[in-house]
Amino acid sequence: MKEYTKDDLKKIYAARRAKLGSYMEENGVCAVVFVDSEEHRDPAVAYYTGHSNDAVLVIFSDGFSILSPWDENLAKLNSFADKLIPFTRYKNNSIEATKAILNIGYVHGINSKVELPPYLPYLEYLKYIDALNNYDCRCKEDGCHKFTTDCRLAKDEYEIECTKEAARIGDLIIDKIEAEIKAGKIETEMDVALLIERECRIHGCQRTGFDTLAAGPERSFAIHAFPNYTNAKWPDTGLSILDFGVVYNGYTSDTTVTVAKGPLTEEQEKQLALVEKAYNECLKLYTPEHTLVEAAKKADSVFATAKRKMPHTLGHGIGLEIHEYPRVSTKMDPALHFVPGMIVTLEPGLYDPKIGGTRLENDVLITQTGNEVITHSRIIRLD
């Protein structure tokens, strides 16, 4: 991965805030508030500052930012905000922190219009309104927070580099898993899940993108097996599934491997072939010339030839969160095209209690001329 200095990162985060500031000026918004807490995780805090979690962030229309983190020491080390004020100074109260930051912000040209997070519970929103009665507070579904979501849809160079590194490490793990299966070193769902946890950290990842899902033939019919993994045999004769992601510098990969261990039934072979066909046909449509709905409909049409139906969407965006906007679904806006810089999963799958489950999932970067598959998950066949 390309090396980024502190100065490089400072410029990257400042440029993102400046873009938001321009939008705010155009729409007469003087300050926007983001709150990341246990009650609601908001990746915008990380997107605009690099701080991992638990903080109040206020960005003003000139791009100036004030971050109030719960973990002051971590923020001093890793965040890129213009001013940092410990959250403990405000008794760990987001409303009090917001009020104080807005008052400080007067020197940066704030007048009255402030956008609050649209995810605030109504009673909490009323408390903000009471505390901030000197401001014209708004809570809009289509305002600065939506603008931020739209900005995050197409990744910048740094985001792409981080996601590609997560993808590269994920590929190394898949290769190791295949080798250890064949060497007889992986025998259970727990074995493979703990291997992923260990290997991702050996390679410099912060964590897994979500709780690893490992399901042997007795449980692979579930889209997301529960429990996520057990001490059951994995893989075993039939169809086994492994769904995992790893996080590098905050950005996650997301892949699913199906292990097909013979002898397989005719129906299992048909299911594998259907999923592979849907994957190959839909990948051709992951380009700026096509809409997300077109790709989703193609998957449906492939499965319909065998009178089968996929019970989940074809894919979703990834980034700072494992599930980001947009989803590759027939329910999306039919005018929404794949956009260069977008990183989305392609994950056709079929599930049946008797046959077992099959899913093939990779992460796809949309480019100006088409796409680049940045992970290399696959169907692993064993005799």
Side-chain angles (χ1 to χ4, degrees), residues 155-376:
K155 273 50 181 177
D156 59 31
E157 178 189 279
Y158 176 67
E159 294 179 289
I160 291 171
E161 287 284 332
C162 291
T163 309
K164 282 187 172 183
E165 183 62 10
R168 184 189 71 82
I169 293 168
D171 283 350
L172 291 176
I173 294 173
I174 291 173
D175 290 344
K176 186 177 182 69
I177 288 168
E178 182 171 7
E180 295 211 354
I181 290 172
K182 292 177 178 178
K185 295 181 179 180
I186 293 176
E187 298 181 348
T188 68
E189 297 171 355
M190 188 181 301
D191 288 343
V192 70
L194 295 182
L195 180 149
I196 292 167
E197 184 69 36
R198 182 181 68 248
E199 289 296 316
C200 82
R201 294 174 191 272
I202 287 173
H203 289 284
C205 290
Q206 296 159 323
R207 55 183 172 84
T208 55
F210 50 95
D211 288 339
T212 296
L213 294 157
E218 298 298 318
R219 303 184 332 117
S220 64
F221 64 85
I223 303 168
H224 282 174
F226 181 82
N228 287 19
Y229 57 87
T230 71
N231 204 36
K233 291 188 70 173
W234 191 99
D236 201 2
T237 301
L239 303 177
S240 300
I241 279 181
L242 175 67
D243 186 356
F244 78 99
V246 299
V247 177
Y248 188 85
N249 283 357
Y251 289 84
T252 189
S253 63
D254 186 7
T255 53
T256 303
V257 174
T258 295
V259 181
K261 185 176 181 180
L264 300 180
T265 67
E266 182 179 348
E267 289 302 311
Q268 287 172 329
E269 289 287 2
K270 286 181 179 179
Q271 182 166 289
L272 287 168
L274 272 172
V275 169
E276 287 184 310
K277 181 178 181 180
Y279 178 92
N280 292 329
E281 291 296 317
C282 293
L283 181 59
K284 299 173 186 177
L285 303 181
Y286 272 51
T287 72
E289 290 77 28
H290 296 282
T291 67
L292 282 76
V293 169
E294 284 181 89
K297 286 184 175 179
K298 171 57 73 173
D300 287 347
S301 68
V302 170
F303 293 138
T305 61
K307 298 182 180 179
R308 301 289 299 274
K309 184 174 178 60
M310 182 168 62
H312 53 73
T313 60
L314 180 63
H316 55 84
I318 58 171
L320 290 167
E321 296 180 294
I322 188 60
H323 292 109
E324 293 195 349
Y325 178 82
R327 288 188 175 271
V328 186
S329 164
T330 56
K331 296 180 180 179
M332 290 298 298
D333 180 348
L336 180 60
H337 282 244
F338 290 98
V339 176
M342 185 186 289
I343 303 179
V344 285
T345 65
L346 170 57
E347 49 180 301
L350 291 173
Y351 316 86
D352 183 273
K354 293 182 179 180
I355 299 171
T358 305
R359 184 161 68 249
L360 176 57
E361 177 183 18
N362 276 308
D363 303 333
V364 184
L365 168 65
I366 307 302
T367 66
Q368 294 287 347
T369 57
N371 64 58
E372 177 185 353
V373 182
I374 63 173
T375 57
H376 298 86

Side-chain angles (χ1 to χ4, degrees), residues 75-187:
K76 284 180 177 178
L77 185 65
N78 296 324
S79 70
F80 294 87
D82 297 300
K83 188 175 181 65
L84 191 153
I85 306 173
F87 193 48
T88 51
R89 186 174 298 182
Y90 308 113
K91 299 180 181 179
N92 293 352
N93 185 296
S94 60
I95 297 175
E96 292 302 314
T98 300
K99 183 177 180 179
I101 292 171
L102 290 174
N103 288 336
I104 295 169
Y106 267 111
V107 298
H108 300 286
I110 185 172
N111 50 41
S112 62
K113 190 182 292 186
V114 175
E115 275 203 22
L116 298 174
Y119 46 76
L120 289 176
Y122 184 63
L123 292 179
E124 187 78 357
Y125 169 71
L126 293 179
K127 292 178 183 178
Y128 272 87
I129 295 298
D130 288 341
L132 306 176
N133 54 22
N134 291 331
Y135 300 94
D136 179 11
C137 294
R138 310 289 179 90
C139 195
K140 301 179 64 178
E141 292 287 343
D142 60 349
C144 295
H145 294 81
K146 174 64 164 58
F147 177 80
T148 297
T149 299
D150 291 342
C151 287
R152 291 175 52 223
L153 181 147
K155 273 50 181 177
D156 59 31
E157 178 189 279
Y158 176 67
E159 294 179 289
I160 291 171
E161 287 284 332
C162 291
T163 309
K164 282 187 172 183
E165 183 62 10
R168 184 189 71 82
I169 293 168
D171 283 350
L172 291 176
I173 294 173
I174 291 173
D175 290 344
K176 186 177 182 69
I177 288 168
E178 182 171 7
E180 295 211 354
I181 290 172
K182 292 177 178 178
K185 295 181 179 180
I186 293 176
E187 298 181 348

